[in-house]
Amino acid sequence: MIMTSRPSGETRTLMASVYDRLRSDIVDGELRPGARLRFEELKEGYGVGLSPLREALTRLAAEKLVILEEHKGFRVAPISRSDLRDLLMMRQEIEGLGIRRSIERGDDAWEGAIVAAIHALGKRGSLTDDGRIDPEWELRHRVFHDSLVAACDSPRLLLFHQQLTDHADRYRRLSHHYPAAGRDHLSEHVALSEAVVNRQAALADELIRAHLARTVEILLADDDLQESGMDA
């Protein structure tokens, strides 16, 4: 009987670790859109071997944060204005559906989590003194949006929501100076939280679509957000 080899627990742990680090560096913009991901450089930079690196990059390629080009290897996924618009459309559909399903299924604990998340978000400003998005606000913002769809009772929807949010976060962080003058983030989020907790599904759907669209409008107007080229 021929036994097939399986990755050891240590290999799987290394893969998970390097996957998390690569994903973070891509979403944060440390690895630039279109940049080639060379194995020798990654092995040295991340301190891991070829096998966990290949597995992590394959997983990131499935999430469209990395692309695999035949005979050329892996690259960080490029960005474009058309992709950002497509991302907006998908986020509006997925997050809107998740909110509607959560309103139908959510209990008191779900409502409480939303109230706690909006309270935490309101205690932190969205921008740093130099106009960049505050990292702690980003974390609280992610928790808030996750809380809205948490009761949707669909693991696949939650997975798609997570992946789409990662892509959206990358676009926002690649904008060097987020031009949000005149935008009241907190009021938008409070209105959304109140509509969801009050089970006003139609209003919540309208508000989430407008909220996501406003962010994309701001990014598209920002000259710092350049479409990526492909380096050699």
Side-chain angles (χ1 to χ4, degrees), residues 18-33:
V18 73
Y19 161 80
D20 286 340
R21 293 168 61 195
L22 280 166
R23 174 178 162 276
S24 177
D25 286 346
I26 291 170
V27 172
D28 288 345
E30 297 297 326
L31 292 172
R32 304 298 295 176

Side-chain angles (χ1 to χ4, degrees), residues 32-51:
R32 304 298 295 176
R36 186 181 295 281
L37 297 168
R38 296 178 173 86
F39 280 113
E40 291 305 315
E41 294 175 0
L42 294 176
K43 285 166 62 179
E44 180 178 353
Y46 290 87
V48 294
L50 182 61
S51 180

Side-chain angles (χ1 to χ4, degrees), residues 3 12 17 34 63 98 117 146 155 194:
M3 301 295 292
R12 287 195 296 271
S17 175
E63 298 173 10
D146 287 349
E194 290 176 348

Side-chain angles (χ1 to χ4, degrees), residues 93-106 110 146 148-163:
E93 295 298 323
I94 292 296
E95 195 152 345
L97 176 59
I99 288 173
R100 294 194 302 273
R101 286 178 59 90
S102 293
I103 286 174
E104 293 172 358
R105 294 163 173 78
W110 168 70
D146 287 349
L148 299 177
V149 301
C152 71
D153 193 28
S154 172
R156 284 188 175 87
L157 190 151
L158 292 174
L159 176 61
F160 293 153
H161 179 261
Q162 175 187 312
Q163 292 174 354

Side-chain angles (χ1 to χ4, degrees), residues 46-178:
Y46 290 87
V48 294
L50 182 61
S51 180
L53 267 175
R54 187 180 296 278
E55 287 187 51
L57 289 171
T58 299
R59 182 175 171 185
L60 289 165
E63 298 173 10
K64 308 302 183 184
L65 287 170
V66 163
I67 59 173
L68 174 59
E69 298 177 310
E70 190 173 0
H71 306 307
K72 293 183 179 180
F74 292 95
R75 290 182 184 270
V76 177
I79 62 170
S80 69
R81 293 175 180 271
S82 62
D83 179 64
L84 180 55
R85 294 186 183 97
D86 182 58
L87 174 60
L88 169 62
M89 182 271 292
M90 287 304 301
R91 287 194 75 202
Q92 287 175 323
E93 295 298 323
I94 292 296
E95 195 152 345
L97 176 59
I99 288 173
R100 294 194 302 273
R101 286 178 59 90
S102 293
I103 286 174
E104 293 172 358
R105 294 163 173 78
D107 57 12
D108 290 347
W110 168 70
E111 290 184 8
I114 294 172
V115 172
I118 192 63
H119 177 72
L121 188 64
K123 294 176 73 67
R124 189 84 180 194
S126 60
L127 301 180
T128 60
D129 291 340
D130 63 357
R132 295 177 182 271
I133 296 178
D134 177 70
E136 177 59 28
W137 182 89
E138 280 269 40
L139 292 174
R140 299 182 188 196
H141 181 248
R142 182 72 174 250
V143 169
F144 171 72
H145 277 271
D146 287 349
S147 73
L148 299 177
V149 301
C152 71
D153 193 28
S154 172
R156 284 188 175 87
L157 190 151
L158 292 174
L159 176 61
F160 293 153
H161 179 261
Q162 175 187 312
Q163 292 174 354
L164 292 169
T165 303
D166 284 344
H167 284 264
D169 285 349
R170 182 168 78 122
Y171 271 97
R172 197 164 57 244
R173 292 171 193 173
L174 286 168
S175 179
H176 296 167
H177 191 89
Y178 188 66

